[in-house]
Each structure stands twice: as C-alpha cells, then as structure tokens.
Amino acid sequence: MMGRRIRRLIAVLLCIASIIILVVPSGKSYASTIVGDYEMDGSTLVKYNGKDDIITLPNTVQTIGKDAFSGNDQLVKVTMPDSVRTIDFAAFEDCTSLMQVVIPESVRVIGSSAFSGCEQLQYVNIPSKCEQIGSAAFAKCLKLTSLNVSPANSSYVCVDGVLYTSDGRKLVQYLAGRTKSSYNMPSGTESIEEYAFWGAPLLTDISLSPRLKEIPEYAFANCSGLNNVVIPYNVESLMAYSFSDCYNLKNVTVPDSVGYIDEKAFYLTADVTVNYYDSDKAREKAETSGVLNESFSDYVAGVSDDNTGIYDTNDSHIVASADEKEYINSLPYVSSMTPDYSDNKIPGELASAKIVGGEAMLLMPRDVRVRGFDPGVAESEDGVPYEYSLGSMDDSFIILNGTAAEYNGDEQNVSIPQGVKRIGNRVFYKESSISSVTLPMGLESIGDFAFARASLETVSIPEGVKEIGYAAFYNCEGLKEVSIPSSVERIELGAFDGTEWLSAVTTNSGTDFITVGNGILLKYTGNGGSVKVPDGIKVIAPGSFQGNTGITDVFLPDGVTTVGEDAFNGCSGLRDVSLPGTVTDIEDRAFKDCSLKNVIIPASVAHIGLGAFERQENDDGAGDAVIFTGGVLPSVSYKNTATRLSAASLRTMPFAGYKNAIIGSDVSIDDRSILSPSQFGFRGQVYTMTGSDTEAGGTLKLIQADSEADPETGQAVIDPHVTVNGEPYIMTGVSESAFDPYLNVYDWSDKRIDSVVISGNTSPELDSALDKVNVGLKGQSMPDKVKPSEDGSVYIRVNMDESISPDKDEPHASITGESGSYHMVVTGSDEATVAGMAALASRYGITDGIICVPLNISLYDDRTGLPLRRLSGRKVDMELPIPTELTMQENIMVAALDDNGMINEISSEIVNHGGNDKLRFVASHFSTYIFYSGIRQEEILSEESMAANTQSVVIRTLNRNVGIMSVKWYIAVILLSMAAILILYKGKSRT
C-alpha cells in the first residue's frame, strides 16, 4: 500500500513538472495580448489586424515585429511614436498602398525587407540615430526616388537616389524609383548589399566601382533594362542569382582572373554571353591613369542638392567607373579557351532555395515579393537547423567515409585528423584564417578547389598522396612553400595557378622543364622551337605547354603515359608531335588548335578526350588523315570540365576538323570505339590501305562513311582524295557496308541529310552502294526538335526503372530557358544504396527505422551522348513516381549526396498528376539522390539541444511546413508517459 502511494505521489509530481515545462516560455517570451487592432507581445507589435488607411502606432511599441503589417493593401500612411527602436524583418513588406512613413528619431534598426514591395511608397525619412539598415529594406519600391536621410546621421547618406554607408564604401540600396537610366558608381565603393539593385526597371547602363570584390546574391536580379555589363577587374566572384531574371541582358564581360561564377548567377537570364578580358592590363591602366583617386566626398561634391532630397549628377566629377569601362571595352578578349576556374556551386547543393524570412525561395520572378537576409534564420538550411545537418564531428572536421568533408574551425595552423584519405572538394575554399596545414599520413588525394583562395602559406604533401585535384590550390596568392612527394601521379588543371610558389619555380628554376612528383612535367618555360622532353617524364601535366606559339615540333620520350587536359592547347606553331608507344591517355583539348599535319595514334592509346586534336577546317588540310596503328581502336573520354550544361564549347569531337581516318585491314569498328557513328568521336571517312608506293602515294578502300551534310544543300560530300604522311592517296574500293550509317542517320546526326555524293571518279560498285543509301535516305524523316513550350521549358525524356516504381504514369522533367534535346536515366544500384545509407547514418546518427531508396539520376545530352552533371544556372523541375517502398509513408524527404558524400536536403512536395502521387523537386545537378522516410524529429536533436529546451525542428516542403514541434513538448510527453506508467502499475498481487 505504501509503495502504491509513493508511485502515485511521484506520478502527480511528474504531471505537475510537465505542466510547468509547457507553461514556462522558451527563451525570451511574453504573454501575447490584444490591444484594440494590435496584437502585442510585451513591447513588440506582433500583428496589426485593423483596416484603417492612416494609423499612428501606440506609444508602448518598441519593436515592430517580423511581418507585422506584411501584405496589408489598405494602409496608406504610418506614423510611429518615439518609443519605437526597431522595425524588424519584412515589417511592412508588400504594403502596396503605403505612400508615406514617418520614422521617429528613436529608431536604431530598419530590418531586411522592412518596406520591400511597397510599390506606392514615396516618402521615407531616415532619422539621425538609425545605425543599421538591412538588405532589400526598400527593394521594389517603384515610386521611391530618394530617402530623406537626416544630415546628422553618421551611418548613412542618400545621393542621387542611392543609399550608401556614410563613408561610401558600401552601396546599400539603389532605389527602384530612380528616374535616370544610367548610373556611375563612385570609385570608392567597395561592396554592394544583397538585393541592392533588385527590380530597378529604368536602369539600362551601369559602370561599377573598380574596388568591388564581389557581386553578391540577387544584387542585380530582375533589372529588366540591363543590356551589357562590364565587371571590374578586382571582382573575384559572381554569387547566386546576382544577375537572375535580367531578361534583356545579352553580354557580361568579366576579368579573366575571376575565381567564382556561381551556377545560378544568371538564373532565368536566357541567351547571355560571358566574355573575358585581361584583368592585369586593366589594373595597370587604372593605376596609372589616376581614375582611382576620387574619394567619396569628391563624388558627393559633384552632385547638387535641389532641396527635395533628389540629386542631379554632374558627370564631369564621376569619371572613374566610366573611364574604366571605356578602356576595359578597348582591351582584347581573352580566348574562350582560357582555363575556366569558375568553380561553380558545390555539386549537391541542389535546391535553388535560400531560406529568407522563413521561406524557401525557389525562384525570383518579377511578380513575387522580395525577401532580404534575415539573421534570425541565417543558421538554417531549408528549415533544418544547421547545427544538426553536419553529421559526425571530429574536432573541427566532419569526417565521412574517410573524406574530410567539411571544416568548421578557425585555427591558423590546421592539423587534419589521422585516418583521412581524401580532402574533400572546397573544404578550405576561401579560408582566410589558415596559414599552414598538416596533412596526415595515409592521405591519398586532395579534392577540387580544396584550398582554393585560402590564405595558406606553406603545405607539405605527404608521401602516399597520388592525386591533386582540379584547381586544388588555385589563387592561394600567399602560398610560398610547396613540397610534392614522388607518390603523386596526377595533378589536375590549374592546381597551383595563381600561387607565389608556382611563379617562383617557373622563374627561378634554371631549367625549361619543371618536374614534380612521379615524373610529372608540371610546366614548360622555354621559348619553343624543337622541344625534346627529358627522359623519365611519365605525365605531361594539364596546361603545361598551353599557348606557347613558338613550339614547332615535340618529341615525347618512352615512358610517357598521359598527355593532360589542355597540355598543348593553342600551340598554333606545332606541326609535328612524336607520341611514344607508351601513351595510354590523351585528354581533352590536349592538342587543340595546333597545326598538326601527321596525327599518328599509337596502338597503346586507350582513351582520347573531347577536342583532343580539334582544329579549324581549312582547304590546306582538308585531305589530311588520322592514322590508327593499333589492332583495337581507343574510346572517347571526357573530363568534368565538359559536364556543365554551359560548357557546350568544350563538348567537341576529338578529331573535329579532320575528315579522314586510316585503320588496319583487320581492325573492327565496334559500338564503343572512337570511330563508331554512335560515339561522339569522329565524322568522316574511314579507310584501309590497299596499296602504296612511297613516292607516288597509294590506294584506299572505304570502310565506313558518316560525314555530315552541308546545312544549305543537304548533301554529304565525300572527297576520295586523302593525304597520308604527306603523300596523296585515292579511294579505289568500297565496302558493301560503308554507307550503312546513313540508313539510320538521325541516330547520330542532328543535321538534315538528303543525299550522299562523291566528288570524283565513280565505279559501278560505288554507284550501286550510293543508290542503296540515297533511296534509304528518302524514306527517313528528320525527327522534330525538342522545342520550348509556352513557358520556355524543354521537356526531358525520362527512363525510370520500373522495378523502382510500377507507376504507369510517366515521370516528368523539364528545363527552363534552354534549347536542345536531353534524356534522363533513373536507376538503383548497390553502390548508391551503400553511399546513401552511410550519408544518412552520418547525418542523423542512426539508420534504424529509416526507409531509404537511393537512386542514381543522370542527365544526358542527346547530341553527344555525354552526361551533364551541373546545369550552370538552369534548373530541372522533376516529378518522379514515389518509389514502391515509400508509397505508404508520410513526410517523405528528398536529398542528394554532394562530392564529399554529405547529405544536402532539398525542398520537395507531393503532387497528384494523372491520378498518381509524385514527388516534385527542383534539381541543379545530377548525382545520387536519396528518398527516405522514418526520421523521427527527436532523433534530429542532440542531447545538448534538448537540455537547452529552445530548439525546434522544421521539415519544409516547396510550399508548406509539414512538421514542427518544440523540444519541450517531447520532454513533457516523456514525463506524462512515465506518470501514466506509475499510475497504471499494479505490482504483484498478494495471496
């Protein structure tokens, strides 16, 4: 009996404790009260529920809360009392009738998006004590031509319809109501706020400050009048959506030193062309011309105040940016083949969503509201608290499957933990605190852009590392000491470009051949002529000879296995190269734009990259041939640089510009070889030699023809005259199957072909073969091209494995603002399952109870058959049938794995089209996706956060929240459950 009383007493106490936990507010909280039309939380005005058009706020209000008046279309004028100190995030957003706001001297802070979208707003005063104005505070205020900033305000100044910080270093807001079409930014401006120019409809011409380092997110989004923009030479990055939805923007000229152009920088801006100019020449001219000497006070002195708050520009005083634009436009553009270190957005960051104001903004079209940066949710990514999306931690690192996937420290001398085998992509990108790094023994590779633009000064790469990735140390300007061990076998393009170390070794080495690692020729510094590469070299590194026009011939020694990406690209004087019988790989653009007459491919070559021997077609070389000496033909390879949607110029055939190929009589052309019509490798005639005379040339037999037609005549013309090793040969025989590729011509060509003709002597045998193929061509019709629909999207054919979902309604995918023809393949694999479950375990710490369907989703270009992994600012809108294992589940989540194997949650929703439920999400790159359910929200939270009792978990879809619960409810439920158990427990019965 006593035990039962004690149990009941404890149960009552647990119930009381749970009630107290629920009643006690989390963090700072006050009782919400209704005062007239105002909903108040202490001194914070939470919501206005009235309908008056002119109001004066109560004198008890100190903070106008987030979204307090948002969307009120009746409000015309607001007067605030002297008690107000803060106008919070989006407080008056989209008050479309609001014309006048009187802000008292007491206001210190005007939050982001505070008045964005107030299209009728004409008068706003900025008081003297206001010291903080957030991003997009006055964006899309189409009638606001100026801000009346108090002369006593020490933080801000409005000049000529543009709000700056008082020193002129930051441009905060270009007012959308500014009536002038051109704007010359003062040369003292060093940064631009996000959304600064958003939706300025009249702006057509702009000159930017040469001191800018970055074009931030949404800076010029929806500036519909912009046509041409020149980016100053100091700018290092163009961030996401910086020029999105500028539908008249045709040309953007950027410095060749720009280190980062986000994939989404030109999102929804169709047909924009990005050109490059020589940043060093521009910088030199700016420094010597004196255009940088103008101070902000000089700029302000160049405008006159007409006492209305609107300024007129005196153009004679604003010369820096305009002059800079003039001389930049006069500089020659850098070749389009300049190595591209745009270092596009991290693959795996799939959603275009940025959480702003608590919403996932997937698009930024002209008819939606503008949401600035809200510090209150800055730590969140798609509604999931940032600190809970990191996976397992090892001090300052996230270690995932042996990869250092993320670094979160701020140490000057960094030691990477033992056991790490790979430094992931971009782990230390732009890390400004690091000066040295200690790499662990056992490390095998360093990822793409791993340390790019970091402040690293020294690095010693340990023995055992085999690969240094693309642009791994790119533009580490202070990097002076580098130690590369003999184990390194590959160094990708641009790995050390822009470093002091590379500059020093190429200048002071005392040799023309800079070698590192395991026989890698990193750089050739000689003048050219006849070049004999030293013995012992195994790899000609990417870009090592690039652009050296003085080279006439090159002899590579036995032992060379790889000729790297862009190795001899642009060596226009190179006419002869000796490839040894040890070469296995010739990578993308290795000999592009050279003047090679004899291209002899050794039998050892297994792979030849895109554009490897591409040249411009000309009459002098029309009859030249490529000679394959092996019994097995190589296959086509490609580098990751070619897998961006925007990199069409890099997706060219290995032998573009050559019409003829010679193979041995016993060589077969299988479907995987470089000469197969089904491969994107070669278009022309393939011959075997039937007779030769070293003095007079010889005769050839045509084995295969797949020349494409002249677009005007529709004729594919075959010239039977071929040059082999400088000697003339002529076609005298033809295989019965030589013209068979034309019987299925539209499987490999996207050009109209009406007939095949021979420009020379014929024979009965040849005429018979031509008649057969020309009759066959008449029976074929050119397939319709995939044309954009009315909404500007291109439909993508999707092949989804029926074993994943038996849904009879086809999956759907479309891409906006793009032309061409594409197909998508969705499959499962054991590798995807292992990677997906490992990522989930790292993300949540558990896998029990999780139902997970990992899928490999790949997009292919129909023209080339090549995969497209990054969409360069475009988006694919996808609707996939729900995998069978998840059809009965709720709260299905979608995520993708990035390059480092980490999960990136993306926004998704369930839609019903055609009577079937589907998962809809937006993708910007293609890799392994995981679709999963069974995550209980308490498993997302750490014990520390539960103790804090202040966190909440949000799972966000494209349009709505599907789950939110405060931690204190979990604790209360647990306590109540324990109380119920104690009350119901009866103990052992007594006899």
Side-chain angles (χ1 to χ4, degrees):
M1 180 68 69
M2 181 64 68
R4 182 181 299 175
R5 290 178 179 176
I6 292 174
R7 286 198 299 273
R8 288 181 176 178
L9 176 61
I10 295 173
V12 171
L13 293 175
L14 289 174
C15 291
I16 294 173
S18 65
I19 294 172
I20 293 174
I21 288 173
L22 292 176
V23 171
V24 173
S26 301
K28 289 185 177 181
S29 180
Y30 304 91
S32 179
T33 59
I34 303 298
V35 180
D37 292 330
Y38 302 97
E39 181 179 342
M40 301 293 295
D41 189 351
S43 61
T44 298
L45 196 166
V46 176
K47 191 70 176 176
Y48 174 71
N49 299 311
K51 298 182 179 180
D52 293 337
D53 56 353
I54 299 176
I55 63 172
T56 299
L57 301 183
N59 57 16
T60 57
V61 174
Q62 295 183 13
T63 299
I64 302 175
K66 296 181 180 180
D67 298 297
F69 291 84
S70 180
N72 187 317
D73 59 1
Q74 297 175 315
L75 194 61
V76 174
K77 180 181 178 181
V78 176
T79 301
M80 304 175 191
D82 289 337
S83 58
V84 175
R85 296 177 62 86
T86 301
I87 303 172
D88 213 335
F89 179 82
F92 294 91
E93 177 192 54
D94 286 341
C95 291
T96 53
S97 298
L98 185 63
M99 299 178 64
Q100 184 176 358
V101 175
V102 180
I103 300 176
E105 279 294 312
S106 55
V107 168
R108 301 291 196 274
V109 177
I110 299 175
S112 298
S113 300
F115 297 94
S116 65
C118 295
E119 298 177 352
Q120 300 298 319
L121 189 61
Q122 299 178 31
Y123 176 88
V124 179
N125 65 296
I126 306 298
S128 62
K129 296 181 180 179
C130 182
E131 57 192 26
Q132 181 180 332
I133 299 177
S135 62
F138 301 99
K140 203 181 177 181
C141 295
L142 300 178
K143 293 189 177 181
L144 190 62
T145 58
S146 183
L147 295 170
N148 289 275
V149 181
S150 169
N153 188 295
S154 60
S155 300
Y156 297 97
V157 61
C158 185
V159 182
D160 191 24
V162 184
L163 181 67
Y164 307 88
T165 55
S166 58
D167 57 7
R169 292 184 177 181
K170 173 179 277 193
L171 189 155
V172 180
Q173 189 84 63
Y174 180 97
L175 299 177
R178 187 177 184 269
T179 57
K180 297 175 182 178
S181 61
S182 63
Y183 169 63
N184 293 321
M185 187 180 295
S187 62
T189 300
E190 298 175 357
S191 64
I192 303 173
E193 184 64 84
E194 293 181 357
Y195 298 89
F197 291 82
W198 198 96
L202 301 179
L203 183 62
T204 60
D205 183 65
I206 186 168
S207 293
L208 300 175
S209 166
R211 288 189 170 89
L212 292 179
K213 292 293 184 67
E214 175 184 279
I215 307 298
E217 294 185 356
Y218 297 101
F220 295 92
N222 195 18
C223 287
S224 57
L226 282 180
N227 185 266
N228 297 289
V229 175
V230 176
I231 305 298
Y233 56 81
N234 272 323
V235 170
E236 298 175 352
S237 53
L238 273 63
M239 304 306 288
Y241 310 104
S242 51
F243 290 94
S244 66
D245 206 19
C246 296
Y247 56 85
N248 281 316
L249 185 59
K250 301 303 178 186
N251 292 284
V252 175
T253 305
V254 302
D256 58 2
S257 59
V258 68
Y260 180 92
I261 300 179
D262 193 278
E263 288 183 345
K264 298 181 281 292
F266 302 101
Y267 185 56
L268 295 181
T269 299
D271 302 323
V272 65
T273 299
V274 178
N275 303 301
Y276 294 86
Y277 67 86
D278 191 321
S279 60
D280 290 336
K281 291 183 179 179
R283 183 177 290 105
E284 180 181 355
K285 186 165 184 178
E287 291 172 352
T288 58
S289 64
V291 297
L292 302 179
N293 296 330
E294 183 188 46
S295 67
F296 187 64
S297 59
D298 293 333
Y299 170 80
V300 174
V303 296
S304 58
D305 188 352
D306 60 6
N307 297 322
T308 65
I310 302 174
Y311 297 86
D312 294 320
T313 302
N314 180 343
D315 290 333
S316 64
H317 287 266
I318 306 174
V319 294
S321 296
D323 283 356
E324 182 190 16
K325 182 175 181 180
E326 180 180 352
Y327 67 70
I328 285 177
N329 283 335
S330 69
L331 290 170
Y333 288 146
V334 174
S335 165
S336 61
M337 291 313 304
T338 295
D340 178 9
Y341 303 127
S342 57
D343 135 44
N344 289 334
K345 196 71 172 178
I346 298 173
E349 194 166 311
L350 302 181
S352 57
K354 175 185 178 182
I355 297 302
V356 283
E359 294 191 1
M361 301 300 294
L362 287 173
L363 303 174
M364 188 54 68
R366 289 172 289 281
D367 57 349
V368 302
R369 58 186 180 177
V370 186
R371 306 285 276 183
F373 175 78
D374 180 10
V377 295
E379 74 282 2
S380 296
E381 178 62 32
D382 226 356
V384 181
Y386 177 77
E387 57 265 45
Y388 307 126
S389 61
L390 294 180
S392 60
M393 296 288 293
D394 186 343
D395 296 324
S396 300
F397 290 90
I398 303 169
I399 312 298
L400 184 59
N401 296 328
T403 294
E406 188 167 324
Y407 173 70
N408 300 291
D410 56 2
E411 294 88 354
Q412 185 175 2
N413 302 306
V414 177
S415 292
I416 295 177
Q418 294 296 319
V420 170
K421 295 184 179 300
R422 173 177 175 264
I423 309 297
N425 293 358
R426 297 172 175 82
V427 171
F428 293 94
Y429 179 72
K430 276 191 174 181
E431 187 63 54
S432 60
S433 61
I434 182 174
S435 63
S436 68
V437 60
T438 301
L439 303 178
M441 297 303 295
L443 186 69
E444 296 176 358
S445 64
I446 299 173
D448 298 348
F449 293 96
F451 294 91
R453 294 190 179 277
S455 58
L456 196 64
E457 296 177 0
T458 64
V459 62
S460 178
I461 300 171
E463 190 70 32
V465 171
K466 295 181 178 180
E467 182 175 355
I468 300 174
Y470 178 74
F473 296 90
Y474 170 68
N475 223 24
C476 291
E477 296 178 350
L479 184 58
K480 301 180 181 67
E481 298 179 18
V482 177
S483 174
I484 300 176
S486 59
S487 60
V488 173
E489 299 172 351
R490 290 197 58 82
I491 298 178
E492 296 290 356
L493 187 65
F496 294 97
D497 283 9
T499 65
E500 186 176 334
W501 171 78
L502 183 60
S503 177
V505 297
T506 55
T507 303
N508 306 318
S509 64
T511 177
D512 292 342
F513 302 95
I514 312 300
T515 60
V516 296
N518 189 9
I520 300 174
L521 175 55
L522 183 64
K523 189 71 70 174
Y524 172 74
T525 61
N527 295 323
S530 181
V531 178
K532 186 179 187 302
V533 174
D535 292 338
I537 296 299
K538 298 178 181 179
V539 175
I540 308 299
S544 51
F545 291 81
Q546 184 173 12
N548 192 322
T549 58
I551 299 174
T552 58
D553 50 278
V554 172
F555 299 89
L556 302 180
D558 287 339
V560 170
T561 61
T562 303
V563 182
E565 186 176 6
D566 287 310
F568 294 91
N569 184 1
C571 295
S572 57
L574 181 59
R575 299 180 63 84
D576 187 34
V577 61
S578 171
L579 296 174
T582 54
V583 172
T584 59
D585 291 271
I586 302 172
E587 295 184 343
D588 295 14
R589 305 176 304 283
F591 295 96
K592 184 181 184 298
D593 290 339
C594 296
S595 300
L596 298 177
K597 292 297 182 183
N598 297 312
V599 177
I600 301 176
I601 307 299
S604 58
V605 175
H607 309 99
I608 300 179
L610 300 177
F613 293 91
E614 180 184 357
R615 68 176 186 181
Q616 300 298 319
E617 294 184 30
N618 56 73
D619 293 336
D620 293 338
D624 291 348
V626 179
I627 303 169
F628 295 88
T629 63
V632 177
L633 295 170
S635 61
V636 180
S637 61
Y638 58 87
K639 302 293 287 184
N640 284 336
T641 46
T643 62
R644 297 192 310 274
L645 180 64
S646 62
S649 63
L650 304 185
R651 291 190 290 273
T652 57
M653 292 188 182
F655 295 101
Y658 288 88
K659 297 289 189 183
N660 305 293
I662 308 295
I663 63 175
S665 58
D666 59 345
V667 176
S668 62
I669 304 175
D670 63 42
D671 288 340
R672 292 175 295 178
S673 77
I674 198 167
L675 297 181
S676 171
S678 64
Q679 299 296 316
F680 191 66
F682 176 81
R683 293 289 178 263
Q685 289 69 247
V686 182
Y687 299 95
T688 61
M689 291 185 178
T690 56
S692 65
D693 183 324
T694 56
E695 294 183 0
T699 57
L700 302 172
K701 180 179 180 179
L702 181 64
I703 301 300
Q704 175 182 283
D706 57 8
S707 291
E708 293 187 315
D710 184 294
E712 296 183 0
T713 66
Q715 287 186 337
V717 180
I718 296 175
D719 185 349
H721 302 88
V722 182
T723 301
V724 182
N725 286 331
E727 298 296 334
Y729 280 67
I730 188 168
M731 180 183 74
T732 59
V734 59
S735 168
E736 291 183 0
S737 60
F739 298 105
D740 283 359
Y742 289 107
L743 299 179
N744 299 291
V745 63
Y746 295 119
D747 288 345
W748 51 266
S749 176
D750 57 359
K751 295 181 174 62
R752 178 177 65 91
I753 297 183
D754 297 330
S755 62
V756 180
V757 298
I758 301 293
S759 62
N761 296 329
T762 62
S763 66
E765 180 186 24
L766 183 57
D767 290 340
S768 175
L770 286 175
D771 289 342
K772 174 185 175 182
V773 72
N774 286 328
V775 170
L777 281 171
K778 292 179 181 178
Q780 299 183 60
S781 59
M782 189 172 182
D784 292 335
K785 296 294 181 183
V786 178
K787 297 179 180 179
S789 60
E790 292 182 359
D791 64 358
S793 62
V794 170
Y795 172 72
I796 300 171
R797 294 174 289 112
V798 183
N799 178 17
M800 187 169 184
D801 192 336
E802 291 185 2
S803 64
I804 300 168
S805 174
D807 195 334
K808 295 181 180 180
D809 191 21
E810 292 184 357
H812 171 82
S814 62
I815 184 170
T816 302
E818 188 62 32
S819 59
S821 179
Y822 310 93
H823 69 277
M824 185 180 295
V825 177
V826 182
T827 59
S829 71
D830 292 340
E831 292 80 3
T833 300
V834 171
M837 294 305 292
L840 284 171
S842 175
R843 166 68 172 83
Y844 296 109
I846 50 99
T847 56
D848 293 342
I850 299 178
I851 301 175
C852 173
V853 181
L855 299 176
N856 290 324
I857 301 182
S858 304
L859 181 69
Y860 295 89
D861 177 1
D862 283 342
R863 182 180 69 91
T864 65
L866 295 172
L868 301 175
R869 296 196 174 103
R870 306 180 192 178
L871 295 183
S872 309
R874 303 300 186 194
K875 291 282 180 275
V876 172
D877 193 326
M878 302 173 60
E879 292 180 9
L880 298 184
I882 299 174
T884 304
E885 295 180 51
L886 296 172
T887 52
M888 302 303 293
Q889 300 299 314
E890 297 181 354
N891 297 340
I892 300 173
M893 300 178 71
V894 180
L897 305 188
D898 66 14
D899 288 349
N900 300 332
M902 292 182 65
I903 276 185
N904 291 265
E905 291 97 346
I906 60 176
S907 299
S908 63
E909 65 177 339
I910 295 178
V911 297
N912 189 291
H913 291 163
N916 295 301
D917 285 342
K918 295 182 180 180
L919 279 169
R920 176 178 176 261
F921 55 98
V922 180
S924 64
H925 100 290
F926 294 94
S927 65
T928 297
Y929 286 63
I930 53 176
F931 305 84
Y932 60 102
S933 183
I935 295 293
R936 296 188 299 275
Q937 289 165 342
E938 63 268 25
E939 292 169 340
I940 300 178
L941 301 178
S942 66
E943 294 179 2
E944 179 181 354
S945 65
M946 291 181 66
N949 191 29
T950 59
Q951 300 293 337
S952 62
V953 179
V954 182
I955 301 173
R956 185 173 295 282
T957 68
L958 290 174
N959 296 322
R960 64 192 184 282
N961 287 343
V962 295
I964 181 167
M965 185 177 290
S966 177
V967 177
K968 66 184 181 181
W969 284 94
Y970 291 117
I971 298 174
V973 169
I974 292 171
L975 294 177
L976 290 172
S977 299
M978 293 173 62
I981 292 172
L982 290 172
I983 292 174
L984 295 175
Y985 179 73
K986 296 181 178 180
K988 296 181 180 179
S989 59
R990 299 181 178 180
T991 57

